[in-house]
């Protein structure tokens, strides 16, 4: 996926921002997906679990609504190499743990709150992503 699609990017970004804002306004919570998932897996109470479950269900239902209104889902290509996919997932999991949150929490919500920790974390995510893409495409040749 290398084409610039400003309309869908604007709509998607607006919906993400609206969802994160509503979660903060109504529940005082940060829309960091790794925290939402871990809290749903290990809830402190039913009320804590219920909003997390509703958020995650919304993330699953949203593509279905997109398909209904647009007539199709965007093409997504995943690596057929299971080992690479598992290793990448583990690396992301370690990063989320050491970074005290994921890109959605730091990048969308933390920067919006002008959190120094989130600004540094997001800059680190972006720098590592740039290096990773360069190495995999130009050094390793993947």
């Amino acid at each position: 996926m290398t084409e610039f699609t400003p309309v869908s990017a604007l709509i998607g970004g607006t919906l993400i921002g609206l969802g994160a804002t509503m979660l903060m306004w109504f529940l005082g919570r940060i829309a960091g997906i790794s925290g939402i998932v871990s809290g749903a897996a290990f809830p402190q109470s039913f009320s804590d679990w219920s909003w997390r479950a509703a958020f995650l269900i919304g993330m699953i239902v949203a593509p279905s609504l997109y398909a209904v209104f647009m007539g199709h889902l965007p093409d997504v290509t995943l690596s057929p190499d299971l080992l690479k996919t598992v290793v990448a997932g583990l690396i992301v999991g370690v990063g989320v743990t050491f970074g005290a949150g994921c890109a959605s929490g730091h990048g969308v919500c933390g920067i919006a709150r002008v959190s120094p920790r989130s600004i540094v974390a997001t800059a680190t995510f972006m720098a590592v992503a740039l290096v990773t893409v360069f190495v995999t495409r130009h050094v390793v040749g993947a």
Side-chain angles (χ1 to χ4, degrees), residues 25-50:
W25 276 347
F26 295 125
L27 296 176
R29 300 302 208 141
I30 302 289
I33 304 309
S34 61
I36 291 172
V37 170
S38 72
F42 307 104
Q44 301 297 321
S45 64
F46 176 75
S47 63
D48 184 57
W49 176 84
S50 61

Side-chain angles (χ1 to χ4, degrees), residues 11 16-17 32 39 43 55 62 68 75 77 82 96-97 112 115 120 122 128 130:
I11 292 169
I16 290 169
F55 193 96
V68 167
D75 291 330
T77 304
L82 181 62
V96 163
T97 302
S115 164
V120 169
T122 303
V128 170
L130 289 169

